[in-house]
Amino acid sequence: MEAKTLVLGVIGSDVHAVGNKILEISLKEAGFSVVNLGVLVSQKEFVEAALETNADAIMVSSLYGHGEIDVRGLREALIEAGIGDTLMYIGGYLVVGSQEWTEVEAKFKNLGFDRVYPPSTLPEDFIPTLKEDLGM
Amino acid sequence: MTEAMILVDIGSTFTKVTAVNTRERSILSQSLAPTTPTDVSVGLQNALDQLELTSGALQEARVLACSSAAGGLRMVAIGLVEDLTAKAAKLAALGAGARVLKTYSFQLTEADRAEIIELDPDIILLAGGTDGGNSENILHNAKVLASLPKAVPIVIAGNRSVAQEVARTFPESFSTYISANVMPTIGKLQVEPARESIRKVFMEKITYAKGLNRASRLIDSIFMPTPAAVLRAGQLLSEGTAVTKGWGDILIVDVGGATTDVHSLGVGLPTKAGVVVRGLPEPFAKRTVEGDLGVRVSVLSLTEAVDARVLAQDTGWTVEQVESRVQALHKDPETLPQNPEEERFDQILGYHAIKLGVGRHVGRLSELYTPSGLVWIQDGKDLSKVSKVIGTGGVLINSRDPLMMLEGAGQESLALELRPENPSYFLDGGYILASMGLLAQEQPEAALTILQKSLSERELIRRDI
Ligand code: B12
């Protein structure tokens, strides 16, 4: 079977590069075809890369606390581009201040993400779910 | 094999011929005759005859040629996303020496199809999708193109998973050429194979379609579009050979009546600290053509881009005077300056065409405010450390003050353009760039020596201070 394609990147004006590199390495090891856009990635770049590569899923990271604003409209942009059914995950450091995790998760799901991960999520914590979601 | 070689450049107005001695690495003689559009072999024979007169028998010499006659190589480029595969396709076509009539992205519509019929391109470059990526779009576009009433050679350089299927979409009457993807994966540009395919099609099909094959009895091999030969010369001059060191990063500028061509040779990585590069990486050998910047046929759009008031200020004329001169040049593109003021006006036009053309070619910095402070984003190539700018083409070569025009390359037209900061200027006064690009295919060492010598002798230096 052909490898599933993932588009990876850290959204907005966010420069936290370490987690993104770790994700790239571990997802490649897990057998995915990985298109890593790196840090400082705009919504437009996510959408266009997903379109050209026919991506199966988009993995968004946000660490610096502005994730909620940065991702607003991303799902709608994918719909506009004709690839609205692409699986979307988000992780990193989405909690700001002392918010409840369930609240944060609900907020991002509402913004169009299929799965939302809390800080310090390890690759082995979500890769099995990802494979399952992609029917692997 | 004899040591002499003849290099031919069949231009739209003149056919230029250069004979070289490849062992001595020197120019034997040069000649020039008006191009004869209905049968280019007549003009070529005239030029060759003059050469015989000046340098004796050259019967044995091999003859290589390039051409920009009959409208040059006219292409349409097609991709999926405007900033990704469509841009990559356009860069590939430009690098192959084509005039890109239009670039299309996403799915071609009925209106696009009608427009393509109208444009009547010589070759269509069809890209779209990274390897293993989107296939729907290129298949759709292939279907639309397959229904064109007139067969056009199609170079396929998109998602390799469906390349064969795309080729099969076309009826027998179309020639299709499968090439490697111009963008195999996001962020990777691969334009060389597509450029090669385009050149092959140009040799096999286009020279015939344009009647250039009539000259083929006079020519031994290699027929490429002239801009491709110029880019090849630039590449050799920049990179050098295994034996001889090149000049490093350079910029070549050609301002003409209709367009301004800019070629850069250099990777263009950031030269300043703390800069992040964005967008599609650009090719080492990059060519851009500005169809609205020219000093005759395109003088109206040039004036619009510069602003007549700026031209008035530079010339000391009134805006009305500027406008009436511009109208005159537009009405009769053959107009030549009749007095020093009109000559200076032409120079000022050339200066601005180069200033804007280089500004569009080079990369640009923009500021991005992040929570941890300011970050600089670079789009395109940083050419600020390019140390040599070379001018070529009739307008510059025949000008009394080419330096004045060329200095436009170093003048910022918009803030934060990454253009050469402090270059030296050279003139291709011997009209040899295209010829040496041809020679480079067979005798790179000789071509490089002749290029470096000829250009070094024509460094342009301000003497009036
Ligand atoms: C190093 C660091 C920096 C460095 C980054 C260097 C670099 N280029 O990478 C610098 C100094 C530049 C920096 C700057 C800032 N930082 Co900082 N930084 C950190 C720090 C200490 C470590 C980040 C790190 O590399 N972690 C290690 C990697 C491996 O983990 P990770 O990125 O979280 O990724 C893992 C998981 O989260 C998960 N994951 C990540 N993405 C995704 C996506 C998906 C889909 C999934 C499933 C999983 C997943 O997988 C990864 C591997 O396990 C954290 C604190 C911390 N301990 O986490 C603060 C931290 C992230 N920074 C923070 C802040 C506030 C900032 C600044 C705004 C500070 C400022 N005012 O200047 C700036 C913002 C700069 C910018 N424009 O982005 C806050 C964020 C708070 C918030 N979100 O509410 C943190 C949490 C510190 C804190 N406790 O306050 N920072």
Side-chain angles (χ1 to χ4, degrees), chain A residues 40 44-45 48 51-53, chain B residues 81 83 85 129-130 133-134 278:
Chain A
L40 294 171
K44 182 166 176 276
E45 287 170 300
E48 292 184 341
L51 195 55
E52 290 273 13
T53 59
Chain B
V81 173
D83 283 341
T85 49
T130 53
N134 182 288
R278 292 278 66 185

Side-chain angles (χ1 to χ4, degrees), chain B residues 161-302:
Chain B
S161 318
V162 290
Q164 314 291 338
E165 199 181 334
V166 168
R168 279 198 303 273
T169 310
F170 291 91
E172 289 278 312
S173 56
F174 283 71
S175 335
T176 54
Y177 301 78
I178 296 178
S179 186
N181 197 344
V182 285
M183 207 179 81
T185 152
I186 297 292
K188 181 157 183 252
L189 196 67
Q190 185 181 48
V191 292
E192 276 314 321
R195 279 184 193 174
E196 263 320 298
S197 301
I198 293 167
R199 234 193 68 197
K200 195 168 140 234
V201 182
F202 182 77
M203 269 201 289
E204 286 177 5
K205 301 262 165 204
I206 311 307
T207 51
Y208 181 78
K210 290 187 183 286
L212 299 172
N213 61 315
R214 295 217 185 82
S216 62
R217 67 187 164 83
L218 302 172
I219 290 163
D220 291 299
S221 136
I222 303 195
F223 217 101
M224 59 165 113
T226 302
V230 171
L231 196 60
R232 181 73 193 83
Q235 191 151 7
L236 176 72
L237 186 61
S238 168
E239 290 178 319
T241 63
V243 185
T244 313
K245 201 169 170 299
W247 275 8
D249 294 357
I250 57 173
L251 196 73
I252 302 174
V253 185
D254 179 357
V255 51
T259 62
T260 295
D261 279 37
V262 181
H263 305 74
S264 64
L265 290 304
V267 279
L269 292 176
T271 58
K272 293 163 191 72
V275 173
V276 185
V277 186
R278 292 278 66 185
L280 194 60
E282 296 189 341
F284 171 81
K286 176 187 173 188
R287 169 172 178 255
T288 50
V289 180
E290 305 305 331
D292 63 331
L293 306 179
V295 297
R296 286 294 183 272
V297 178
S298 310
V299 72
L300 290 184
S301 42
L302 172 64

Side-chain angles (χ1 to χ4, degrees), chain A residues 2 5 12-13 15 35 37 39-42 44-45 48-49 51-54 64 66, chain B residues 80-81 83-85 106 128-130 132-134 186 276 278 368-371 375 377:
Chain A
E2 237 178 76
T5 303
S13 308
V15 299
V35 176
L37 304 176
V39 299
L40 294 171
V41 181
S42 67
K44 182 166 176 276
E45 287 170 300
E48 292 184 341
L51 195 55
E52 290 273 13
T53 59
N54 205 20
Y64 71 158
H66 302 263
Chain B
L80 170 51
V81 173
D83 283 341
L84 298 173
T85 49
F106 299 103
T130 53
N134 182 288
I186 297 292
V276 185
R278 292 278 66 185
L368 181 70
Y369 291 92
T370 74
V375 178
I377 306 285

Side-chain angles (χ1 to χ4, degrees), chain A residues 9 13-20 22-23 26 39-40 58-66 89-97 115-123 126, chain B residues 370-373 375:
Chain A
S13 308
D14 195 333
V15 299
H16 293 90
V18 184
N20 170 262
I22 291 178
L23 287 184
S26 42
V39 299
L40 294 171
I58 297 176
M59 313 289 286
V60 179
S61 297
S62 177
L63 279 295
Y64 71 158
H66 302 263
Y89 277 29
I90 191 165
Y93 219 105
L94 306 169
V95 190
V96 184
R115 300 207 183 262
V116 185
Y117 288 89
S120 327
T121 298
L122 295 174
F126 72 88
Chain B
T370 74
S372 56
V375 178

